[in-house]
Amino acid sequence: MTPTTKTSLLVSVATLLVTAAYAAPPVQPTPPGAGQRLGFDVHEGTSMSVSVSPDGKSYAIDLQGSLWIVSATGGRATLITDYFNDARQPAWSPDGKQIAYFAFREGGYDLWTIAADGTGAKRLTEGAYDDREPAWSPDGRTIAFSSDRLGKGGANYNIWTLDTATGTLTQISSDAGEDRMPSWSPDGKEIAYASTRPAGSALWITTLATNTERSLKAVPGARLDAPSYGPSSQLAYVVADAKGSRLEVDGKSVSGDENVFPFRVSWQPSGRYAYVSDGKIRQRSGSRLTTIPFDARLEVTRPSYTRAKHDYDSTAPRRALGVVKPALSPDGSQVAFVALGDVWLLPTKGGKPENLTKDSAMDADVAWSPDGGSLVYTSDKGGGLPQLWIRDLKAGKDRQLTNIDTQPLGATWSPDGTRVAFLDVDGMWGVAGVCFIDVATGKVTRLQGSLGQPGSPTWSADGRYLAIGLSYKFSASFREGTNQILVIPADGKSEPFWQVPQENVSIDTRGGGGPAWSPDGTKMAAIYDGLLKVWPVGPDGKPEGPPRTYTNEISYFPSWAADSRTLTYQSADKVKKLDIENGQITEIPIDLSYTLAKPTGRTVIHVGALVDSITDVTQKNKDIIIDGNRITAIVDHNPAGHGGGTFIDASGLTAIPGLIEHHAHVQKDFGANAHRAWLAYGITTVRDPGNQPYDGVEDREAAEAGVRIGPRIYTNGPLLEWQRVYYKMGVAVAGPAHLERELERARLLKYDMMKSYVRMPDVYQRRIVEAAHQMGIPVTGHEIFPAAYTGVDATEHLGATSRRGYSPKQAPQGRAYEDVIQLFGKSQRVLTPTNFGALIGLLDKNPSFRDDPRLSLYPGWAQKSVKEQNSMLAGLRASTFAGSLKSLKAMHDAGTKVAAGTDTTIAINLHAEIASYVDAGLTPFQALQAATFVSAQDLNLDAGTLEAGKLADIVLIQGDPRANIANTFNVRTVITNGVPYTVQQLIDQAKKPQ
């Protein structure tokens, strides 16, 4: 692969940044929309690094992605870059005239230099690759850096150098391991670096004259980072192990109990050196430690806009928007699709579709047989796990095709009609293998082991190959890559191979972006830049020409007719038909609507106790009166008031509001049982911050229509990435025009939120905020700054993945410092902590929970993941969990709105999550509010508390959660939208054919 120039900044905000960047003081684009803007001072930085000037008079720091200058005597920090750089790890040039750093300004990490007064910013590298961690040579002529640019050694990070005069790049290391954080020897003849070779983490060094590499340092059971040579060849580095993160110099620990950040020490000629620990700038000279105090002014915005609100009262017809993967029949006369939980059939002339399945099962991923006489699709109609089913269209009958222990999805028929290929989902997050089944005998052949969220397979015309979309990674250091095409021989013997239609350019998404192989085998179709493109291929899928664009509107899920000329595709809220020979596009009208399932009549629940999630008190002996789907009164118990309607005797139970899972991805992998499981664990609302574009909308509508028994769904579309992508539910946004198409689709499909993901540049995150708030919906993501300044409403996870390789929210040991605490507290934004590892604590205290019968609602591998928590995650918990809990308590006390979510589909984790909040120091009542009151406020949902006027989402549990938060686990009955279910009813329903 060769480098390609990154997309230039084209939108108005980006133009402002380019033309006004680095003025003095830096120009900050104002946050979009209305809101309260607040400034405040911080004195600590999380995951901050430092570089001292050669004269020792100034320090450069990278507080929250901006560069600042601090006097060596301490005091006010001076900002020299604007907020929208994600500038990291400054390094002062030997002559003191420039500071090198790496920045994510245009959607990839490049090397930059800037003067200490903020003038003369210059980008040194560009292209499709990430360049990081610059280090100046002693003579100032060369910069060493790490890069995932392709060179000797394959796709991985290596050490490179840049001649600052000529721009010449030279590869220094070439091992298959990941080489990072270079540092020059004092004489400039060698470069040391951290490496994963041969296994684990160690320090290595390359002699430049001979290009020979040798091992420098390793510590068993520890990670070594950031080597740095002092003027007398002292070697400093950071060691992370079970005891913490410490600084060593020449093999001796010098930092005591400090929490040392894993960045290079900055040396002075005198032998003094600076580094960051505990959020503070430290300077050491021998055994003498000096802390350099600083204060830096950050800004946040509390956004103000009119929030959209779901209508849970009107029963007027609603247009169904969740049309999932419409497949074109071989003769081009019909499309089959899934919507409202069922499989539907529609003539391409349009009209009212025919419901083929009409049941409460979850159906997904329908595909045609080559003769057009049958459909294959995924369904859990047989009870238990989803399986493949075949529908004989003429006979109007279904038969089960598979009977396996995992979940088949994405089925597609072979050209000769004898086999059906599918994805065999066998792990969390859509990890799946690739298989096919012989339609006549039922024999399953596994062609490919577990892969990271592959796209659905498509057959070659001769049946010799299957092609799937898969992430083609740039390195092992980071999981993101470009969606390319993996071709798998169907003989089960030959090795798979890659086909790359456009170098370093990603197919939008593996969820429905293609590839789709034409039936005659001469073409492939896929979605790039939000547009439908087609290109010629050879018999093995090898591209034989460039992709040609056929649409000018957002496009998704191409599907071929047998003539290899006609395609259907989705365009936002429409389905369209394309003739690639004449370019004619026609809409296929779909007349499909539904009404809100809303109960009628009166229900009275007599409860022995009640916690309303408003006041920290347990009320006794109450009657909850429900009319339809809303609570109309909560009164002292009165037997005379039980007449008429339905009476539920819960006199031995405690009523709490229905729990809200604030972060779970509602995937089809688990089938309808996952929805029943959420209810069985007391969860009446699920917020899904990332899904495939139409799947999440279908989940929402199926729940509203009462077709699928489960919680109400608040959904997003795909995670909005930038050019590189990891998740199948993510989309690799190619540039500003593509982003606008995605924003328009979000508006038309009425997403409930939007998620700006890991590699979205900050300036385009600002545009997402602007568009989303105009729609009345919030924006979330992993970022905290400049997200808090821009008006991003929420942040997911205390830790989790970061494009930097380390978290700006947490330093080593899971610790967050004053900058992070205040960014959340002053903005009063929502944080969903997702304390990974929390289940260990819940199960340690309540071992019987491992044998809870509700776990039977999940696949075997998921049940195993719960029962083996201690062995799987004990290391994670020991290394970071305590620090995360301490940080969470500080953030909560500073004003952060904590909403409980788990980032899993397994509902027991929500009970573990809120229990961990109590471990952190929150009261049980505050922990309960995180899963009720706070989350409902964030969703603008009339629920989350028990009071008149709220939706009747109620959980009846054994015990008082204010006495023991683990009592939320003891669900006996759940009332969702006014409809009651006992736990046993939900378990029994899951086993029955639908």
Side-chain angles (χ1 to χ4, degrees):
M1 296 187 184
T2 58
T4 58
T5 302
K6 294 187 180 76
T7 305
S8 61
L9 302 179
L10 298 176
V11 298
S12 58
V13 174
T15 302
L16 171 64
L17 288 180
V18 171
T19 57
Y22 310 115
V27 174
Q28 310 296 350
T30 57
Q36 182 183 6
R37 189 167 161 185
L38 303 171
F40 55 95
D41 291 342
V42 299
H43 310 85
E44 296 176 343
T46 303
S47 296
M48 183 176 74
S49 67
V50 64
S51 178
V52 61
S53 62
D55 61 9
K57 294 180 179 180
S58 302
Y59 294 92
I61 58 173
D62 57 353
L63 177 69
Q64 286 301 326
S66 294
L67 297 189
W68 310 68
I69 302 298
V70 179
S71 168
T73 59
R76 172 67 69 174
T78 301
L79 181 67
I80 64 169
T81 63
D82 64 54
Y83 295 153
F84 291 79
N85 286 272
D86 194 14
R88 301 286 168 176
Q89 297 182 36
W92 226 298
S93 62
D95 62 8
K97 294 181 179 180
Q98 300 178 87
I99 300 169
Y101 59 99
F102 66 104
F104 197 76
R105 193 172 188 86
E106 297 187 16
Y109 279 117
D110 299 314
L111 303 186
W112 290 71
T113 55
I114 191 172
D117 62 359
T119 61
K122 179 181 180 182
R123 187 170 66 177
L124 304 182
T125 62
E126 61 181 330
Y129 302 102
D130 280 350
D131 302 325
R132 305 172 185 252
E133 304 151 357
W136 292 91
S137 62
D139 62 11
R141 296 178 180 177
T142 309
I143 295 176
F145 62 100
S146 65
S147 177
D148 62 6
R149 59 184 62 241
L150 194 64
K152 293 178 290 183
N156 58 297
Y157 268 86
N158 287 298
I159 306 303
W160 293 69
T161 59
L162 168 72
D163 186 307
T164 58
T166 66
T168 301
L169 295 173
T170 304
Q171 184 174 354
I172 302 302
S173 70
S174 58
D175 187 83
E178 299 289 299
D179 298 339
R180 302 283 300 279
M181 290 194 176
S183 180
W184 294 81
S185 62
D187 60 9
K189 295 181 179 180
E190 295 186 306
I191 298 175
Y193 44 90
S195 180
T196 61
R197 67 177 94 173
S201 175
L203 304 182
W204 282 68
I205 193 166
T206 296
T207 302
L208 299 180
T210 61
N211 200 32
T212 56
E213 302 172 346
R214 68 183 188 277
S215 175
L216 189 61
K217 180 76 175 180
V219 177
R223 175 188 172 111
L224 273 60
D225 272 315
S228 180
Y229 278 108
S232 301
S233 296
Q234 310 98 312
L235 179 64
Y237 50 88
V238 179
V239 180
D241 57 20
K243 298 177 183 178
S245 183
R246 63 185 181 273
L247 178 63
E248 292 189 358
V249 177
D250 290 338
K252 294 182 179 181
S253 177
V254 299
S255 55
D257 294 332
E258 298 168 42
N259 186 27
V260 178
F261 295 179
F263 307 114
R264 289 171 298 214
V265 160
S266 182
W267 292 88
Q268 294 179 258
S270 64
R272 290 187 301 180
Y273 54 91
Y275 61 99
V276 179
S277 67
D278 301 322
K280 302 179 186 300
I281 303 171
R282 311 289 198 185
Q283 181 176 278
R284 282 187 177 271
S285 179
S287 61
R288 183 184 176 188
L289 172 65
T290 304
T291 297
I292 311 299
F294 72 92
D295 55 89
R297 193 157 188 82
L298 295 176
E299 296 177 281
V300 299
T301 301
R302 297 178 184 175
S304 176
Y305 58 99
T306 302
R307 281 291 302 269
K309 190 176 183 68
H310 268 300
D311 178 359
Y312 290 112
D313 294 299
S314 172
T315 55
R318 306 177 183 200
R319 181 187 172 202
L321 298 170
V323 174
V324 180
K325 297 179 181 177
L328 184 60
S329 62
D331 64 4
S333 67
Q334 300 178 93
V335 288
F337 59 88
V338 170
L340 299 172
D342 290 323
V343 176
W344 301 76
L345 200 60
L346 175 71
T348 51
K349 293 179 293 185
K352 203 156 190 70
E354 176 189 1
N355 189 330
L356 298 182
T357 49
K358 298 179 184 177
D359 55 35
S360 61
M362 178 182 286
D363 300 336
D365 295 353
V366 62
W368 290 86
S369 63
D371 63 6
S374 300
L375 297 171
V376 63
Y377 62 99
T378 295
S379 179
D380 53 12
K381 63 172 58 188
L385 291 176
Q387 299 293 336
L388 293 183
W389 291 73
I390 290 179
R391 172 83 172 192
D392 185 316
L393 293 174
K394 185 176 181 181
K397 295 182 179 180
D398 296 278
R399 72 176 179 92
Q400 187 172 332
L401 179 61
T402 59
N403 185 19
I404 54 180
D405 293 332
T406 49
Q407 306 99 278
L409 285 169
T412 181
W413 235 295
S414 65
D416 62 6
T418 63
R419 295 167 290 173
V420 170
F422 60 92
L423 300 177
D424 184 24
V425 180
D426 56 3
M428 191 67 75
W429 306 121
V431 170
V434 180
C435 304
F436 67 75
I437 183 170
D438 186 287
V439 174
T441 66
K443 180 183 176 182
V444 174
T445 300
R446 190 174 181 90
L447 296 175
Q448 187 69 36
S450 297
L451 299 169
Q453 301 197 7
S456 298
T458 181
W459 288 91
S460 63
D462 56 13
R464 294 178 58 197
Y465 301 103
L466 287 163
I468 60 171
L470 196 66
S471 179
Y472 187 85
K473 296 200 303 181
F474 286 77
S475 74
S477 292
F478 297 89
R479 61 187 186 175
E480 294 84 11
T482 55
N483 293 326
Q484 304 296 348
I485 298 170
L486 184 69
V487 179
I488 304 170
D491 60 11
K493 301 175 183 178
S494 306
E495 290 294 316
F497 51 91
W498 291 96
Q499 300 290 13
V500 181
Q502 298 185 82
E503 292 182 347
N504 291 328
V505 177
S506 183
I507 295 173
D508 282 7
T509 172
R510 305 190 299 281
W517 216 324
S518 65
D520 66 4
T522 65
K523 296 176 284 292
M524 277 190 182
I527 311 299
Y528 290 92
D529 198 19
L531 306 175
L532 174 59
K533 300 190 179 187
V534 179
W535 66 95
V537 298
D540 62 354
K542 183 177 180 180
E544 295 186 340
R548 176 184 174 186
T549 303
Y550 283 86
T551 61
N552 60 6
E553 58 195 352
I554 191 73
S555 305
Y556 189 77
F557 196 73
S559 176
W560 292 96
D563 62 7
S564 297
R565 166 179 173 171
T566 309
L567 283 159
T568 54
Y569 66 95
Q570 291 178 272
S571 179
D573 60 339
K574 296 178 173 59
V575 177
K576 298 190 175 182
K577 188 176 180 180
L578 164 70
D579 185 322
I580 64 171
E581 291 195 6
N582 60 27
Q584 182 177 354
I585 296 174
T586 55
E587 182 183 345
I588 302 173
I590 301 178
D591 181 9
L592 183 61
S593 62
Y594 68 98
T595 57
L596 179 72
K598 181 180 175 183
T600 58
R602 186 171 188 261
T603 300
V604 177
I605 309 171
H606 172 210
V607 297
L610 182 149
V611 180
D612 61 14
S613 211
I614 304 169
T615 305
D616 191 0
V617 65
T618 302
Q619 304 175 48
K620 300 293 185 180
N621 207 27
K622 294 290 183 178
D623 287 342
I624 305 172
I625 301 170
I626 302 169
D627 285 306
N629 66 343
R630 288 191 181 266
I631 299 170
T632 54
I634 298 176
V635 297
D636 292 337
H637 173 55
N638 178 12
H642 295 171
T646 301
F647 173 69
I648 298 175
D649 182 3
S651 54
L653 302 176
T654 301
I656 62 173
L659 301 178
I660 299 172
E661 165 59 90
H662 201 254
H663 187 128
H665 298 286
V666 186
Q667 299 169 301
K668 305 298 186 188
D669 309 358
F670 290 83
N673 277 1
H675 297 251
R676 295 187 184 95
W678 273 312
L679 287 187
Y681 281 97
I683 297 167
T684 55
T685 300
V686 172
R687 170 181 173 268
D688 180 354
N691 208 322
Q692 297 172 43
Y694 299 87
D695 289 57
V697 178
E698 191 272 341
D699 287 322
R700 181 181 67 195
E701 293 173 344
E704 290 180 358
V707 174
R708 187 166 301 144
I709 297 171
R712 60 174 52 84
I713 305 294
Y714 279 69
T715 194
N716 178 27
L719 311 174
L720 294 176
E721 286 275 30
W722 190 264
Q723 299 177 354
R724 297 189 188 188
V725 67
Y726 173 69
Y727 283 115
K728 185 175 180 177
M729 59 188 167
V731 60
V733 177
H738 182 190
L739 178 59
E740 294 303 314
R741 297 183 190 107
E742 293 291 342
L743 295 175
E744 177 65 3
R745 174 161 62 184
R747 185 184 68 82
L748 291 171
L749 295 184
K750 300 180 181 179
Y751 294 160
D752 299 305
M753 73 209 77
M754 299 193 74
K755 189 170 184 180
S756 171
Y757 208 53
V758 175
R759 288 184 65 91
M760 179 59 62
D762 297 325
V763 66
Y764 293 117
Q765 183 180 78
R766 181 192 182 281
R767 171 61 187 133
I768 293 169
V769 170
E770 182 179 48
H773 288 181
Q774 288 171 351
M775 300 175 207
I777 61 174
V779 176
T780 190
H782 286 197
E783 298 299 304
I784 57 173
F785 197 80
Y789 168 78
T790 301
V792 173
D793 302 81
T795 295
E796 311 299 315
H797 318 300
L798 272 172
T801 184
S802 165
R803 62 184 177 235
R804 302 153 198 88
Y806 53 91
S807 172
K809 295 171 285 190
Q810 286 186 325
Q813 303 182 60
R815 295 292 307 276
Y817 294 90
E818 186 192 13
D819 57 338
V820 171
I821 293 166
Q822 294 287 18
L823 282 169
F824 277 99
K826 296 295 185 183
S827 63
Q828 297 181 353
R829 60 212 305 260
V830 175
L831 168 67
T832 305
T834 57
N835 286 329
F836 300 114
L839 188 54
I840 296 172
L842 184 71
L843 295 177
D844 283 348
K845 296 174 184 177
N846 306 276
S848 64
F849 288 4
R850 285 188 175 86
D851 300 316
D852 186 81
R854 289 170 288 185
L855 286 175
S856 66
L857 295 169
Y858 297 107
W861 62 263
Q863 297 179 43
K864 185 178 180 182
S865 74
V866 171
K867 295 179 180 182
E868 295 183 357
Q869 278 292 302
N870 280 334
S871 60
M872 292 173 63
L873 292 174
L876 169 66
R877 183 180 173 88
S879 62
T880 64
F881 201 73
S884 294
L885 295 187
K886 185 174 182 179
S887 300
L888 173 61
K889 178 63 163 61
M891 294 162 76
H892 176 272
D893 291 349
T896 305
K897 297 176 182 177
V898 177
T902 68
D903 202 13
T904 74
T905 313
I906 304 172
I908 187 177
N909 286 290
L910 186 63
H911 298 276
E913 179 78 10
I914 60 177
S916 75
Y917 301 168
V918 176
D919 293 338
L922 275 66
T923 68
F925 181 74
Q926 289 170 332
L928 178 65
Q929 283 191 311
T932 53
F933 173 77
V934 177
S935 292
Q937 276 195 327
D938 183 55
L939 295 173
N940 199 23
L941 169 65
D942 288 339
T945 58
L946 299 182
E947 56 184 319
K950 292 300 179 75
L951 291 163
D953 289 357
I954 305 167
V955 187
L956 304 177
I957 64 172
Q958 192 77 50
D960 185 348
R962 294 179 60 251
N964 181 357
I965 192 62
N967 284 331
T968 61
F969 183 85
N970 301 324
V971 178
R972 299 296 180 261
T973 296
V974 60
I975 296 94
T976 176
N977 200 43
V979 180
Y981 298 92
T982 68
V983 169
Q984 194 59 52
Q985 283 176 326
L986 293 165
I987 293 173
D988 291 343
Q989 284 176 352
K991 299 175 182 176
K992 296 176 181 178
Q994 304 302 308

